[in-house]
């Protein structure tokens, strides 16, 4: 229990790191900055571990810690509160753990930055971790939203880290605005919660004994469906789901460790966390769950399809993230909350690994990111190669590496819910295997296709880079073992057990459909065989790749250009908005409304010019006008009654 | 004690007024500058002290410090009644705080005829203070106009090229509005009960709240008042004076206008419109909210395509005030509290934004967004300040506006879900234009124009730091303000429900 | 005679004077037309005075007297006006050698 | 129809014809003469209504003094028929029409007045000079004195405007 | 009565002074001395000390209101003499006579503020007008002055004819056959047609005197053509006197049946406000602009006739003071200028800062900005109108017109402060310190009345 009392230190330490690094970015030395930056995360990690231990103890109940009244108006009271339960502690571990490794990695990766840039980088990184911690620790939706927007901000700052290039800034802006669109959905969801239930504290809403939600038994009531859908819009933005996913691939503009941080430990998992956190609410809205499942599946397959044609090493990984997130949403959509969380965890490991590995490669290649210009790097960069390979296996879902277990859990749950989802999901998994091994082959196998200079430059990265890689590789390899399916080991799914208190109530609401064990095993075997075959085929195909081969089919072109989604968005949203704005500004406002206003002024002026002509200067006409006026008055007075 | 001789509202009014008159006679530009700064600091000090004397619930004697009424025109039932309630405290503080900030931030700027300039600034402060402390409708009208005149002269004398026409438009616009309001005030006055033997009616605020008006009368009176306030705020479609006059006005004046003056409209709606015409407010709430929301989206869209920094900020301000307008008419506790907070927040944020625009303009000599770029390299400090302020404008959590926007939108949502949804469009669009500005002004490469940008003065750094601290503190602990205005809001709601 | 005939007569004279003032440009004739209007008023007043002959005021005099005195004052004023008016016309004639009312037309709009 | 009526109609027609003569004569001198005829006709009406004093005053002051003054001025300026330029026809028409309309409106309206049929009979002493003189210097002494102010100012004005000043250039 | 007699006497003194005064500057001091004496005498009478005991047979009635009004008018005249006394010397050589005529006008003013019979109204109005015809034409060799004088005279005589016809009809229509204005009052019954016609004619004639549309046509030309100093006098003091007469007449004789003729007043007010304000916008000459503005202000003052309640009576006094003070101040500056166009004011803020400030205050007062007497005056007028309860649209229309008035008043302010001076024009205005101080006093009075209108109003109820 002691550790939980110090829970405020978990986010506070990164915040302190942010402040120190931010303010001292010009005065502190680089090594000190690195030390502080990583150190605070490490300390947070240590406390997280202690909390994890405390939470895993028998008889732990959800803790709600209130600090001060954040907003208190009338009946609406939103305290600044943290809530600690199993889900939180797990996320804390992932965030601080993986985050710490990324920090360590960054100390070396960002060495070439200027002094202040280095400090800025680490302060942003710390802020990022802080925001994410706030997000998962928050005891109500508002605190979550604060973290939620915070990560959006940090992603903006880090994506646009090299702000001299306007492209980066555009990507950053895109990320922020897209997130904002999602956030508005989230915000509206919060409003709805407030207006329906008067509170947004998890404690009040979800408490198993007297939570407000619990007392409402109506499933699929319109309000709940609407709330959940709105919250899901937020999740779509943050976790890059269709239709709000396009910012994520663009977000590659930032430094590579940042991508690792965004994709693995923070940010994109926020959506999953949020839905997992609100699982009771979602379970009450099966309609929404169906929507989530469909969108998740769709995202998984579409993103995976796009990934197979990408040549930028980071873009491939980015689309793979989108695709994997789709799986997670699929898991959530079919009610397998813990499976989704499990996948978050394993994904954090291997995706961080992939990005860091990619970073190592890019570093070695002197900034080159095009995989068609790489090749044969495996010989020169053994550690990177091996760790990358492990990650590929893990993500592809080849047992016994971590990805297999988590993905399998999701897919089997999907099968139980609707076999179609399973088949599509499996298709996505095959595509995953294909593009990952394509990537691996193009990068590390075959001959070097870059310039001479680059060839000389290529070298294995130093220890601060490789050590995190190795650690993550180990985690990626064995991380899945915490969730071995029931099929293989009775009570093997430790993670599921650990998380079960969080999802217990949902489990009551959704009658879980179990797939028979035989079926599950058959599915598993079939999928593994298919995946391995695909992997080998891809490896073979791209091992001896030579550029400039053959024409692209129409479909291929479409894939390569990401189905023109960006262009479509540009056409139907950005351009019309700009045109509309200009129309409003130049026509409606300047000519219309202001025109009316000025028109009144001109009218008075015109009237003035005309009226003064009455003043002809001739007595005769003056008297005449007077007489006419008098006549008028006479007529009115004498003849109208 | 103090309350026997002088009350806080009086001090707040007379310090700037008297020093403003004195300032005319200080011919030396440097001395008058320092004088104005010190005068405004003195006002700020009074305001801060007055904030400590707010706890009327527990210390009834504080009423003596914060309220006073002198006989003024007994034969028509008007008195010099001034007072500070929660909202008054809030806005007088904003006024008192803004002026030292403005003076300090523009300390380096040179103005011709400095004595007249600073005198007018101080007089405008006095006028603004008067609006916020007036507890008598006639007095309120007096100050309402008086706040306008110095600003008119400031803008017309020290503004940009087209200043005379633009400022005059502003003047006529607001003048029309306030004259309409005057008719309304008179009409309501003639329906008030008597508050003294000397006259059959009274201008006292409590009398106004008790005025006997049937819904039919309220319906048209409401618009007379509303137009005046809507022009000041401004609410769509009464806004067209604003971009032009902001563009042309000198920076200190524009800071006063957008930092404090626009709050007059919001303030007046809460104090003089809704409680006096509750039936009409209930009848027309949808109309007003729709106008306000159109304003939000409209202004945000236009802000996106502005190339002139000043115009962009002006449009952004219109968008923000649109939200306040909608929130006022949502008329519930949450939205009104949000509006209260928003008034202060918008004051801080826009002030900071103008200071930065001023710095950019002064150091580079340009205001066109398209011609700027790369300032972050030249002046990283400035870009950090701007970032925080931009984020505050966007309404990011942990900055002050988040809380106020959250509350206003919550209240609005409670009123009508669709309105809130549309109002949220502003949240998205604000990000677009603020980040556009960030991108085009601070990021990117330097060019020949921005290379020469010089750094900020220490005073400016200090001022911006203070503002940023306020932004963050209010973002984290908004209860500071919410507690202050709680009483006012419940009073107003009580008036609405009673009538 | 019925009073109405006097009324109509004086209205007719009044309007004829007015028409003259409206249609003529010679300032002296315009002025004479105005005198004609005044005389029509005088006639009317005296006609009315006969009508009110029986009414007596607080001072014991008939109300008819007051109207006749009024006419007397109108004549006084008319004389004074004529003095001034002719002086103005003569002054203008000295400067411009014209008595056309439209001749001087510097002040307009 | 008694003698009074005959006289009334005669004087009425005379007055109207002469009045029309005033406004339609080209030559200002004829106008003056016509106007004198009008005054005589009106004086005749006065006598018909037993306002002898005013009838005499009217002849002396108006016809005798004022009209002579007019004649003097006209002759002084040596004006004749051609002196008056032709006035805009539309203005003339408009003037005549509006004047006639006013007359019609007034006649139409006033013919409904409740006193219109009161008969006016000759025969009282009110209009005699003794009677009026008493009233003037008792009851009306204040206005009488006040009217002296009027005359003073008119006199000053006439002198001031008529006097030849040291030559100053005409300013346009 | 004191005022009537003393003004007449002083007029005679000034008249003879023309023979005896050697220097052109002397009459001014005599005039100032005279007006001071008259003020003192009037105040004495206000407190019940009559110097002359005259039995007016009820033809004049001196109540607190009329005496108070007289005091205001005389004080304004004093300020006018102090400011513009020297400008009379510019008109011609008959300075003493000009002053004498002014005193006769003041005599007329005191009559029309306290008349009780139509006879004295008529005489008063004539005493008021005839000297003005002369003064308008007093710049004998100036054709504009000639033209203005002729126009004023012809139209004035014409309106006198209308007024007399009205009086005759009213005399015929009321059964008492009385010229006493309170005797005409018929209560709330139906208006006899003779009286109705007479009322319209009186309304027209009085509207002519106070320059209400559509009987205002003489105003711009006459004000423009007359010597500036005369314009200053007649556009302020004489005009407000006309209003007092107007209201006095209509309140006592037709007040009870107001509802039967209010429509006419509404039409006149609307037309006056519209024509005055709108036409003024385009004027380039400040003098002519002020002429139109005086029409516009008349529109506001007509509200007193529209409402005819206590507030209106209070308001008209305040309006008289506010309007006269500001206009006198402005005209005094124009009288010093060689160029009457707005450009003449360019850069006044730099060359004459004090004068610029006071002029600005005058203009703000005319616009009706709070803290100036102009605002309180307008406020009272609007209040009176709203209290009346009818035709609120007219009040709203009036305030919109007031906003239009800001356009032309502020054009002058803009010229004063925001335009660069044109060096050749008005380079050396003969501004003495005394002139400045009196300007400051007037500005001070305006602000004082803006803050404490009770200073003027309370005396009505003394």
């Amino acid at each position: 229990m002691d550790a939980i009392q110090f829970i405020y230190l978990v986010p506070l330490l990164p915040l302190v790191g942010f402040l120190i690094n931010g303010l001292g970015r010009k005065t502190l030395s680089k090594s000190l900055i690195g030390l502080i930056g990583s150190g605070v995360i490490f300390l947070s990690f240590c406390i997280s571990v202690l909390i994890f231990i405390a939470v895993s103890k028998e008889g732990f109940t959800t803790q709600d810690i209130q600090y001060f009244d954040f907003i208190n108006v009338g009946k609406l009271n939103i305290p600044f509160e943290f809530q600690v339960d199993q889900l939180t502690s797990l996320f804390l571990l992932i965030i601080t753990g993986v985050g710490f490794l990324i920090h360590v990695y960054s100390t070396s990766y960002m060495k070439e930055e200027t002094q202040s840039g280095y400090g800025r980088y680490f302060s942003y990184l710390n802020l990022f971790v802080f925001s994410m911690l706030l997000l998962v620790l928050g005891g109500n939706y508002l605190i979550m939203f604060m973290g939620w927007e915070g990560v959006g901000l940090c992603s903006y700052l880090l994506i646009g880290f090299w702000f001299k290039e306007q492209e980066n800034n555009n990507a950053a802006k895109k990320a922020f605005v897209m997130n904002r669109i999602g956030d508005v959905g989230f915000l509206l969801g919060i409003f709805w919660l407030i207006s329906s239930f008067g509170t947004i504290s998890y404690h009040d809403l979800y408490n198993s004994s007297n939570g407000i939600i619990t007392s409402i038994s109506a499933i699929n009531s319109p309000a709940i469906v609407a709330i959940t859908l709105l919250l899901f819009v937020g999740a779509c933005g943050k976790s890059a789901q269709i239709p709000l996913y396009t910012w994520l691939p663009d977000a590659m503009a930032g430094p590579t460790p940042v991508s690792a941080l965004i994709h693995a430990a923070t940010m994109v998992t926020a959506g999953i966390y949020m839905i997992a956190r609100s699982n009771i609410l979602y379970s009450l809205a099966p309609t929404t769950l169906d929507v989530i499942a469909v969108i998740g599946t769709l995202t998984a397959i579409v993103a995976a399809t796009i990934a197979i044609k990408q040549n930028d090493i980071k873009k491939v990984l980015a689309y793979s993230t989108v695709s994997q997130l789709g799986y997670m949403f699929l898991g959530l959509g079919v009610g397998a909350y813990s499976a989704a969380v499990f996948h978050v965890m394993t994904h954090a490991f291997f995706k961080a690994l992939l990005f860091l590995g990619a970073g190592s490669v890019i570093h070695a290649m002197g900034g080159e990111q095009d995989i068609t210009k790489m090749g044969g790097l495996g010989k020169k960069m053994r550690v990177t190669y091996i760790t990358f390979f492990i990650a590929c296996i893990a993500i592809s879902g080849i047992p016994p590496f971590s990805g297999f277990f988590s993905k399998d859990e999701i897919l089997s749950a999907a099968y139980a819910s609707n076999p179609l989802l399973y088949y599509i999901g499996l298709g996505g998994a095959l595509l995953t295997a294909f593009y990952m091994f394509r990537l691996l082959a193009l990068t590390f196998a075959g001959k070097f296709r870059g310039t001479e200079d680059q060839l000389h430059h290529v070298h294995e990265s130093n220890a601060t880079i490789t050590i995190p890689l190795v650690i993550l590789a180990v985690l990626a390899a064995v991380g899945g073992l915490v969730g071995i399916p029931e099929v293989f080991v009775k009570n093997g799914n430790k993670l599921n057990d650990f998380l079960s208190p969080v999802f217990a109530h949902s489990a009551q609401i959704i009658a879980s459909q179990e797939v028979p064990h035989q079926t599950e095993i058959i599915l598993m075997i079939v999928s593994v065989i298919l995946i391995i075959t695909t992997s080998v085929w891809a490896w073979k195909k791209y091992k001896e790749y030579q550029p400039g081969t053959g024409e692209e089919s129409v479909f291929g072109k479409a894939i390569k250009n990401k189905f023109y989604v960006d262009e479509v968005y540009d056409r139907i949203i950005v351009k019309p908005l700009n045109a509309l704005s200009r129309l409003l500004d130049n026509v409606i406002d300047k000519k219309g409304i202001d025109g009316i206003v000025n028109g009144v002024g001109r009218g008075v002026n015109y009237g003035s010019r005309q009226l003064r002509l009455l003043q002809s200067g001739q007595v005769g006409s003056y008297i005449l006008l007077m007489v006419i006026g008098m006549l008028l008055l006479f007529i009115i007075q004498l003849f109208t009654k | 004690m103090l309350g026997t001789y002088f009350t806080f509202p009086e001090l707040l009014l007379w310090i700037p007024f008297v020093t403003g008159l004195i300032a005319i006679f200080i011919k030396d530009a440097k001395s008058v500058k320092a004088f104005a700064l010190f005068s405004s600091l003195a006002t700020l000090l009074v305001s801060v002290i007055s904030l400590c004397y707010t706890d009327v619930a527990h210390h009834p004697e504080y009423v003596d410090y914060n309220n006073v009424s002198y006989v003024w025109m007994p034969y028509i039932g008007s008195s010099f009644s001034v007072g500070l309630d929660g909202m008054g405290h809030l806005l007088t503080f904003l006024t008192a705080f803004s002026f030292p900030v403005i003076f300090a931030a523009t300390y380096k700027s040179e103005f011709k005829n400095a004595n007249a300039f600073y005198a007018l600034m101080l007089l405008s402060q006095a006028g603004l203070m008067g609006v916020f402390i007036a507890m008598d409708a006639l007095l309120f009208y007096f100050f309402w106009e008086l706040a306008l005149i110095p600003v008119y002269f400031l803008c017309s004398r020290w503004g940009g090229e087209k200043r005379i026409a633009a400022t005059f438009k502003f003047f006529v616009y607001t003048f029309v509005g306030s004259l309409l309001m005057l008719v309304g005030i008179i009409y309501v006055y003639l329906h008030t009960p008597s508050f003294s033997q000397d006259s059959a009616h009274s201008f006292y605020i409590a009398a106004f709240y008790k005025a006997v008006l049937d819904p039919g009368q309220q319906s048209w009176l409401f618009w007379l008042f509303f137009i005046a306030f809507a022009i000041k705020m401004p609410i769509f479609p009464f806004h067209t004076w604003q971009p032009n006059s902001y563009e042309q006005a000198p920076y200190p004046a524009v800071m006063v206008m957008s930092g404090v003056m626009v709050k007059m409209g919001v303030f007046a709606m809460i104090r003089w419109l809704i409680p006096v015409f509750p039936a009409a407010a209930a009848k027309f709430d949808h109309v007003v909210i729709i106008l306000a929301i159109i304003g939000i989206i409209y202004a945000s869209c236009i802000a996106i395509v502005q190339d002139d920094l000043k115009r962009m900020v002006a449009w952004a301000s219109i968008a923000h005030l649109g939200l306040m307008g909608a929130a006022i008419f949502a008329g519930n506790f949450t939205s009104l509290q949000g509006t209260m907070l928003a008034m202060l927040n918008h004051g801080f944020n826009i002030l900071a934004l103008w200071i930065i625009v001023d710095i950019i303009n002064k150091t580079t000599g340009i205001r066109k967004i398209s011609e700027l770029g790369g300032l972050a390299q030249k002046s990283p400090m400035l870009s950090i300040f701007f970032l925080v302020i931009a984020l505050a404008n966007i309404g990011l959590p942990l900055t002050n506006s988040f809380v106020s926007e959250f509350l206003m939108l919550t209240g609005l949502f409670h009123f009508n879900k669709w309105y809130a949804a549309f109002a949220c469009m502003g949240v998205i669009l604000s990000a677009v234009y603020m980040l556009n500005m960030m991108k085009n002004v601070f990021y990117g490469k330097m060019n020949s124009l921005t290379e020469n940008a010089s750094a900020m003065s220490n005073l400016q750094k200090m001022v911006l730091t203070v503002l940023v601290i306020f932004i963050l503190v209010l973002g984290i602990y908004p209860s500071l303000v919410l507690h202050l205005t709680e009483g006012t809001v419940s009073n107003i709601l009580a008036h609405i429900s009673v009538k | 005679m019925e009073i109405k005939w006097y009324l109509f007569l004086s209205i007719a004279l009044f309007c004829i004077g007015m028409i003259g003032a409206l249609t003529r440009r010679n300032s002296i004739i315009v002025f004479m037309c105005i005198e004609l209007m005044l005389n029509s008023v005088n006639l009317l007043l005296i006609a009315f005075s006969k009508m009110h002959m029986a009414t007596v005021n607080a001072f014991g005099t008939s109300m008819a007297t007051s109207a006749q005195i009024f006419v007397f004052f109108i004549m006084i004023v008319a004389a004074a006006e004529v003095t001034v008016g002719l002086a103005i016309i003569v002054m203008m004639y000295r400067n411009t050698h014209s008595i056309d009312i439209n001749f001087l037309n510097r002040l307009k709009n | 129809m008694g003698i009074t009526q005959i006289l009334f109609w005669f004087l009425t027609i005379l007055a109207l014809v002469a009045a029309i003569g005033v406004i339609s004569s080209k030559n200002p001198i004829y106008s003056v003469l016509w106007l004198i005829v009008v005054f005589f006709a009106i004086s005749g009406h006065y006598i018909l209504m037993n306002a002898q004093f005013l009838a005499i005053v009217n002849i002396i002051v108006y016809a005798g003094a004022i009209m002579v003054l007019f004649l003097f001025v006209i002759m002084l300026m040596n004006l004749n028929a051609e002196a008056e330029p032709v006035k805009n026809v539309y203005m003339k028409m408009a003037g005549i029409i509006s004047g006639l309309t006013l007359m019609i409106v007034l006649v139409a309206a006033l013919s409904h007045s409740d006193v219109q049929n009161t008969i006016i009979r000759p025969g009282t002493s009110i209009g005699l000079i003794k009677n009026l003189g008493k009233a003037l210097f008792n009851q009306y002494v204040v206005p009488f004195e006040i009217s002296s102010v009027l005359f003073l100012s008119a006199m000053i004005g006439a002198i001031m405007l008529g006097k030849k000043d040291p030559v100053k250039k005409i300013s346009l | 009565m004191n005022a009537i007699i003393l003004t007449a006497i002083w007029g005679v003194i000034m008249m003879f002074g023309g023979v005896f005064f050697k220097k052109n500057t002397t009459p001014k001091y005599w005039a100032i001395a005279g007006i001071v004496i008259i003020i003192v005498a009037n105040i004495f009478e206000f407190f019940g000390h009559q110097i002359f005991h005259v039995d007016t047979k009820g033809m004049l009635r001196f109540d607190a209101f009329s005496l108070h009004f007289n005091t205001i008018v005389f004080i304004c005249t004093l300020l006018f003499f102090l400011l513009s006394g020297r400008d009379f010397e510019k008109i011609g050589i008959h300075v003493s006579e000009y002053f004498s005529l002014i005193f006769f006008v003041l005599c007329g003013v005191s009559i029309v503020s306290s008349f009780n019979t139509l006879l004295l109204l008529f005489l008063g109005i004539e005493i008021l007008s005839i000297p003005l015809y002369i003064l308008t034409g007093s710049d004998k060799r100036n054709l504009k002055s000639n033209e203005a004088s002729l126009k004023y005279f012809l139209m004035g005589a014409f309106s006198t004819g209308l007024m007399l016809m009205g009086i005759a009809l009213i005399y015929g229509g009321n059964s008492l056959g009385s010229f006493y204005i309170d005797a005409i009052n018929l209560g709330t019954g139906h208006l006899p047609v003779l009286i109705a016609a007479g009322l319209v004619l009186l309304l027209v004639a009085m509207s002519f005197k106070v320059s209400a549309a559509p009987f205002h046509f003489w105003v711009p030309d006459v004000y423009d053509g007359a010597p500036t100093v005369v314009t200053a006098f007649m556009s302020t003091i004489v005009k407000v006197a006309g209003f007092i007469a107007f209201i006095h007449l209509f309140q006592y004789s037709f007040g009870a049946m107001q509802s039967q003729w209010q429509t006419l007043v509404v039409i006149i007010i609307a037309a006056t406000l519209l024509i005055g304000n709108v036409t003024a916008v385009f004027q380039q000459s400040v003098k002519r602009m002020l002429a139109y503005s005086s029409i516009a202000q008349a529109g506001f003052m007509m509200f007193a006739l529209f409402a005819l309640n206590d507030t209106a009576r209070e308001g008209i006094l305040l309006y008289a003071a506010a309007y006269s003070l500001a206009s006198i101040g402005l005209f005094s500056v124009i009288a010093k200028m060689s160029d009457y166009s707005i450009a003449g004011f360019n850069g006044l803020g730099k060359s004459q800062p004090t004068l610029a400030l006071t002029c600005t205050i005058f203009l703000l007062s005319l616009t009706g900005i709070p803290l100036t007497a102009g605002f309180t005056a307008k406020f009272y007028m609007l209040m009176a109108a709203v209290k009346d309860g009818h035709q609120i649209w007219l009040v709203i229309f009036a305030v919109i017109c007031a906003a239009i008035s800001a356009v032309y008043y502020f054009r002058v302010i803009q010229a004063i402060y925001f335009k660069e001076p044109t060096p050749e024009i008005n380079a050396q205005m003969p501004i003495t310190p005394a002139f400045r101080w009196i300007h400051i006093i007037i500005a001070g009075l305006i602000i004082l009345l803006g803050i404490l209108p009770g200073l003027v109003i309370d005396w009505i109820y003394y």
Side-chain angles (χ1 to χ4, degrees), chain B residues 30-31 92 148 187 305 335 357 467:
Chain B
K30 272 191 184 153
S31 333
T92 47
L148 171 67
Y187 195 91
V305 291
S335 70
V357 172
L467 282 168

Side-chain angles (χ1 to χ4, degrees), chain B residues 140-336:
Chain B
F140 167 75
Y141 182 80
F142 259 60
F143 288 122
W144 179 269
E145 291 270 4
L146 284 186
L148 171 67
I149 298 294
V151 172
Y152 168 73
F153 279 100
L154 282 171
C155 296
S156 289
R157 177 76 182 77
W158 286 274
E161 255 170 59
K162 293 178 201 150
R163 60 187 194 275
I164 295 178
T167 315
F168 191 59
K169 191 175 181 183
F170 157 62
F171 178 82
V172 170
Y173 237 121
T174 43
F175 192 54
V176 170
S178 44
L179 283 171
L180 292 177
M181 173 172 74
L182 180 64
V183 177
I185 286 179
I186 292 171
Y187 195 91
V188 178
Y189 160 76
L190 291 169
H191 290 79
T192 53
S194 174
F195 262 59
S196 71
Q197 320 104 305
D198 291 324
S199 72
H201 306 290
S202 171
F203 281 103
Y204 191 57
I205 187 162
F208 263 56
Y209 285 179
K210 287 201 183 109
V212 186
L213 297 161
D214 62 53
Q217 289 167 327
Q218 285 195 21
S219 305
W220 60 269
L221 284 169
F222 173 85
W223 290 104
L224 292 183
F225 278 75
F226 177 77
I227 289 173
F229 302 152
I231 288 173
K232 207 77 166 190
M233 275 177 70
I235 281 183
F236 177 89
F238 303 104
H239 64 276
T240 55
W241 60 270
Q242 205 190 45
N244 290 329
S245 56
Y246 280 16
E247 188 184 356
Q248 298 299 333
Y251 283 97
V254 92
M255 288 173 198
V256 174
M257 282 158 86
S258 62
V260 192
M261 272 187 91
V262 295
K263 311 301 180 305
M264 283 162 65
V266 186
F267 166 88
M269 284 203 184
I270 296 174
R271 172 154 293 167
W272 294 100
L273 184 65
I274 295 184
V276 180
F277 311 116
K283 188 170 162 192
F284 295 118
D285 50 3
H286 285 273
V287 181
V288 176
I289 292 177
I290 288 170
L291 280 181
I293 288 171
I294 291 175
I296 298 173
I297 297 170
Y298 180 87
S300 303
C301 280
I302 293 180
I304 294 174
V305 291
Q306 293 303 312
D307 196 31
D308 185 299
L309 276 178
K310 275 178 135 182
R311 286 186 81 88
M312 199 214 85
V313 179
W315 282 109
S317 173
I318 294 173
H320 283 119
L321 281 145
L323 184 53
M324 290 187 217
I328 292 170
F329 281 85
N332 51 46
F333 200 91
T334 322
S335 70
L336 283 174

Side-chain angles (χ1 to χ4, degrees), chain A residues 614 616 618-632, chain C residues 17-24 30 101-102, chain D residues 87-102, chain E residues 154-155 158 162 204 208 214-218:
Chain A
L614 276 182
S616 59
Q618 300 186 349
V619 180
S621 67
Y622 291 174
I623 297 180
L624 179 66
L625 287 168
M626 271 176 72
V627 170
I628 290 171
M630 187 167 71
L631 254 175
L632 201 74
Chain C
M18 188 182 285
I19 290 171
L22 285 170
T23 49
R24 299 304 297 260
V30 171
I101 48 169
N102 291 348
Chain D
K87 194 161 180 168
N88 187 338
V89 178
Y90 296 110
M91 283 295 290
K92 260 187 181 167
M93 292 301 295
I96 292 166
I97 290 168
S98 53
L100 287 177
T101 319
L102 186 71
Chain E
L154 286 178
M155 297 180 74
F158 182 79
L162 297 183
V204 170
F208 173 86
F215 314 105
H216 67 283
F217 292 100
W218 60 280

Side-chain angles (χ1 to χ4, degrees), chain E residues 220-234:
Chain E
D221 293 1
V222 172
Y223 284 11
D224 196 4
T228 310
V229 59
V230 175
T231 310
F233 184 68
M234 68 177 164

Side-chain angles (χ1 to χ4, degrees), chain E residues 331-348:
Chain E
F331 274 116
S332 75
V333 176
I334 296 175
K336 303 268 185 247
M337 287 184 168
S338 53
D339 178 9
Y340 297 156
S341 74
I342 289 182
F345 278 87
N346 280 0
L348 195 71

